[in-house]
Amino acid sequence: MQNVIVITGGAGGMGTATAKVVGTDHKVVLADVRTDRLDAAAAELAGLGVDVTAVHCDVTDRAAVADLFDRAAGLGTLSAVIHTAGVSPSMGDAEYVMRTNALGTLYVDEVFHDTAGAGSAVVNVASMAAYLVPEELLPIAQYALALTDESTFLTEMLTACEVVPEDMRSGVAYAVSKAFVRWYSSAQAERFNTRGQRIVSVSPGSIDTEMGRLEEQAGAAAMVTDAAVPRWGTPQEMAELLAFCASSRAGYLTGTDILNDGGVVASMRERARVAAQAG
């Protein structure tokens, strides 16, 4: 049976770009909540010769996620999920951001864990924002609640966002939710390995996609200008990395995060160090 890769957020820039890379030797199940854009992306991929199946899926609905993986498993051997689905601060309030990014990741990964076999891999998309938020603002001690008490977990995450005025909370929710993705992708590595599975996360910087550009006026443009590589990343650059992480070539890679941000975090930290010394 042919190997199958599920790509959530498949109608987005990174998702579609990644499908073009992995679609050369895998069946692709493309999932997204936006039906019209999903159909257009699937048609584009089919035109390139990719064996693609489009599935409408809201990752915040665990039953829908279960149906997604049931369909994928029926098409062949489920080898990986590349979870690019997520929302940025400009796309909704703090609760919407937290539900989509944190609980959406939990649902996708947990259902994959229970469905896929040995040799499979989860690749989650986190964010460089998880590196930039002060650690004291992160409710790390409460992250494990996601596995036992989702309601309390969500309450604790949103409470952590209340340190800033309401109009800034979606931004904090984004950073906190993506830090959770990093934590989960590390903390659950040993558990996933009991089923012969790998789990990693990748943290993009400012990527030239529709969602990435939504944050251009909110500070992303300034960070790009001050980065070691002073430009926006391309969806293709992210796609190649995501595809590698999902492949057997990365068979020893698990429980870690790869920061792919053009040196934004490195540059900011070094400038802060120099400024502190000068002061």
Side-chain angles (χ1 to χ4, degrees):
M1 296 180 73
Q2 189 172 355
N3 285 343
V4 178
I5 288 183
V6 175
I7 301 177
T8 67
M14 279 194 291
T16 302
T18 304
K20 292 175 182 177
V21 177
V22 302
T24 59
D25 57 358
H26 290 78
K27 290 184 178 180
V28 175
V29 174
L30 206 67
D32 206 288
V33 72
R34 301 166 297 180
T35 303
D36 54 339
R37 298 188 61 175
L38 175 63
D39 292 342
E44 179 187 0
L45 291 167
L48 296 172
V50 177
D51 186 342
V52 58
T53 299
V55 178
H56 177 267
C57 180
D58 178 354
V59 297
T60 67
D61 181 344
R62 190 164 188 155
V65 172
D67 288 343
L68 167 66
F69 284 112
D70 281 345
R71 289 192 60 180
L75 297 173
T77 301
L78 187 55
S79 65
V81 57
I82 300 175
H83 178 48
T84 78
V87 295
S88 70
S90 298
M91 297 172 70
D93 63 15
E95 182 171 350
Y96 175 68
V97 170
M98 195 66 67
R99 284 186 181 279
T100 304
N101 295 347
L103 290 181
T105 297
L106 178 74
Y107 296 160
V108 168
D109 289 15
E110 289 294 316
V111 174
F112 183 88
H113 171 268
D114 294 342
T115 305
S120 59
V122 177
V123 184
N124 292 315
V125 173
S127 171
M128 71 175 177
Y131 288 82
L132 298 175
V133 64
E135 189 164 325
E136 57 268 24
L137 293 182
L138 296 176
I140 297 171
Q142 310 302 322
Y143 281 165
L145 284 169
L147 295 162
T148 59
D149 188 341
E150 292 173 18
S151 177
T152 302
F153 167 76
L154 185 61
T155 297
E156 293 290 343
M157 295 305 103
L158 294 176
T159 298
C161 299
E162 293 176 0
V163 297
V164 298
E166 188 168 354
D167 62 348
M168 299 173 63
R169 289 177 189 170
S170 61
V172 175
Y174 181 78
V176 169
S177 67
K178 291 301 189 178
F180 168 79
V181 174
R182 280 185 62 204
W183 172 87
Y184 179 94
S185 303
S186 174
Q188 304 308 307
E190 189 172 347
R191 179 167 67 93
F192 272 68
N193 188 60
T194 63
R195 290 180 55 85
Q197 301 166 339
R198 294 185 299 108
I199 177 170
V200 300
S201 59
V202 174
S203 287
S206 296
I207 307 301
D208 194 5
T209 63
E210 181 182 3
M211 191 172 88
R213 289 288 181 175
L214 283 175
E215 305 307 314
E216 188 168 8
Q217 302 305 316
M223 286 190 290
V224 168
T225 301
D226 290 338
V229 181
R231 65 169 174 83
W232 290 71
T234 69
Q236 182 67 24
E237 287 169 324
M238 284 304 307
E240 296 288 352
L241 177 57
L242 294 170
F244 170 75
C245 290
S247 74
S248 60
R249 292 172 294 164
Y252 198 53
L253 184 69
T254 194
T256 193
D257 181 78
I258 299 174
L259 178 61
N260 191 27
D261 69 339
V264 169
V265 172
S267 295
M268 292 180 70
R269 287 177 175 172
E270 179 59 11
R271 287 194 177 91
R273 182 191 68 81
V274 170
Q277 284 188 336

